[in-house]
Amino acid sequence: MSENKIIAVVGATGAQGGSLVEAILEHPESGLTVRALTRNPDSEKAKALASRGIEVVRGDAEDPASLQAAFAGAYGAFLVTNFNEHGDAARETAQAKAMADAAKKAGVRHVVWSTLEDTREVIADDDPRFVKLDGGRYLPHSDSKGEADGYFRELGLPATFMRTSFYWENLLGPMFRRRGDDGALLLTIAMGDGLLPGVSVKNLGRFAFGIFTHPEFIGRTVGIANQHLTGAEMADTLTHVLGEEVRYEPYTIDALRGFDMPMADNFANMMQYWQAFNAEYVGARDLDVVHSLSPETETFEQWVSEHKDQLKVL
C-alpha cells in the first residue's frame, strides 16, 4: 500500500486498545500506523509505547479539544470506553458521543466503535428475571454502549460497530473458577447449558485490525468471538490441557445476586441475559464472518495452553 494510514487508538495502554496496537505492529505491510491515545502520556505504559517508536498523544474522552487534535489527520480511529472506571452509564454514553463528535469533525474515514447490545431492546419492561438498575437499565455497561450506537448513525459517521464478547482472560481471576471441597478445580460461569461466545484479548485486536483493512464493513455491526463453547466443553478442555479434573458447576443467578461485591445485580443480569437470550446473543456473533477478518484466530485449547500455569493456581 502506498498510503500511510494513521489509526488513532483510544485506550492504547489498556486491554482492547493495546491489543489493536500489537495487531497493527504485527503487520507492517498493511500500510497502517499507530497513533496511541492516552489520558496520561507520561505514564509508564505510555512511555513504553513511545520507546518502541509509536506516536503517543494525549486524548481524553472528557476533553473534546484533546480528542479532535488527536484525531486530526488520522484515517481511522478505534473508540472504546471503560464503564468499570466509574460505573456511570450516562457518563459512558456521553464519552462515546464526545469521541464520535471529534472523529466527525476531524474527518476520520473509518471508525471502529467497541460496543455491546442495548438489552432494553429485547428484555420486556416487566420481565421478572431481571432487576432494573441505573436509569431503568438492565445492563448499564452494555446498554450505555448500545445507546451510543444510534448517535454514531445519526452523525453519519463511517463506523463499524464491533460487539465484543466474554474475555477468556476473565478466567484468570477467581470470579469464574474456584476449588471444590474435594480440591477439584471448578468452572463456575453461570451459563447453564447455553453457549458462551468467548474472545481472547489478543484476537480482539486482530479482529479490529481486520475490520480496518476491510472498508466494506463500514456501516455494519460485527460481533466478535474466537469460539462459542458451553461451560461443559470449556471444562473438558481445561481438564485435558491442565492435566487435572475440572468440573463445570455453574453458579445460579440467585447466588450471583447475593454476592458481596460491587455491581452484583449488574453481573447477575448479564449472565441472565446471556442465558435467556442465548440464541440471539450467539447469533449476533457469526464465526464465519469474524474469522474472515483474522485467519490468526486461536482456539480455546490454544489459549488455555498459553495460560496453563496461571489457570492452575487459585
Side-chain angles (χ1 to χ4, degrees):
M1 298 174 66
S2 58
E3 183 183 4
N4 204 33
K5 296 180 176 179
I6 297 171
I7 305 297
V9 181
V10 172
T13 59
Q16 291 196 35
S19 178
L20 175 57
V21 168
E22 295 303 325
I24 293 173
L25 296 179
E26 286 175 357
H27 296 280
E29 78 289 347
S30 69
L32 303 184
T33 59
V34 174
R35 178 182 292 164
L37 274 64
T38 175
R39 285 174 302 181
N40 181 13
D42 294 322
S43 71
E44 290 305 312
K45 289 183 177 180
K47 289 178 180 178
L49 290 176
S51 71
R52 299 168 67 185
I54 296 171
E55 179 187 9
V56 178
V57 301
R58 182 175 176 274
D60 187 338
E62 298 191 343
D63 180 358
S66 74
L67 290 175
Q68 193 169 341
F71 291 153
Y75 163 80
F78 177 77
L79 310 183
V80 64
T81 51
N82 186 356
F83 177 84
N84 290 334
E85 282 189 341
H86 47 72
D88 186 332
R91 183 176 174 183
E92 181 171 47
T93 300
Q95 290 175 342
K97 289 180 176 181
M99 290 190 292
D101 286 335
K104 180 71 172 181
K105 291 176 181 177
V108 173
R109 287 182 279 167
H110 191 175
V111 166
V112 175
W113 160 231
S114 178
T115 186
L116 287 168
E117 288 87 343
D118 187 338
T119 63
R120 294 172 297 180
E121 296 177 359
V122 295
I123 302 174
D125 192 57
D126 57 352
D127 193 321
R129 296 172 295 181
F130 297 87
V131 173
K132 283 193 175 180
L133 303 171
D134 179 16
R137 303 170 192 266
Y138 299 108
L139 274 72
H141 78 283
S142 183
D143 299 347
S144 55
K145 296 178 180 67
E147 180 180 328
D149 292 359
Y151 187 75
F152 281 66
R153 294 189 174 96
E154 289 173 12
L155 281 182
L157 202 61
T160 303
F161 303 88
M162 188 183 81
R163 288 181 177 172
T164 57
S165 299
F166 176 82
Y167 290 7
W168 285 338
E169 279 73 12
N170 288 327
L171 297 178
L172 300 178
M175 185 67 233
F176 298 101
R177 57 191 179 90
R178 64 183 179 85
R179 291 283 176 185
D181 293 338
D182 60 355
L185 187 60
L186 306 180
L187 184 66
T188 58
I189 303 174
M191 282 303 298
D193 296 327
L195 288 167
L196 178 63
V199 63
S200 64
V201 169
K202 181 192 297 182
N203 261 115
L204 190 152
R206 289 174 174 173
F207 292 140
F209 170 81
I211 293 171
F212 277 119
T213 59
H214 288 75
E216 65 271 22
F217 276 82
I218 291 174
R220 293 178 59 178
T221 298
V222 182
I224 62 168
N226 289 40
Q227 284 181 277
H228 304 323
L229 298 168
T230 65
E233 288 171 334
M234 295 173 76
D236 286 345
T237 298
L238 287 163
T239 296
H240 171 69
V241 177
L242 301 185
E244 65 170 292
E245 181 188 13
V246 180
R247 296 198 303 269
Y248 177 50
E249 295 189 8
Y251 288 121
T252 65
I253 301 300
D254 286 342
L256 292 180
R257 294 200 188 284
F259 276 21
D260 182 16
M261 67 178 193
M263 298 192 292
D265 276 324
N266 184 82
F267 189 73
N269 277 356
M270 178 177 70
M271 292 295 180
Q272 182 70 76
Y273 169 69
W274 288 350
Q275 285 192 40
F277 297 92
N278 196 242
E280 294 87 346
Y281 185 72
V282 173
R285 288 151 178 82
D286 188 321
L287 296 182
D288 289 337
V289 172
V290 72
H291 290 178
S292 72
L293 296 169
S294 175
E296 304 164 299
T297 302
E298 60 187 344
T299 65
F300 183 62
E301 183 171 359
Q302 290 170 328
W303 181 87
V304 172
S305 296
E306 292 172 8
H307 298 85
K308 182 176 180 178
D309 292 341
Q310 294 164 279
L311 289 164
K312 289 176 71 72
V313 176
L314 267 179

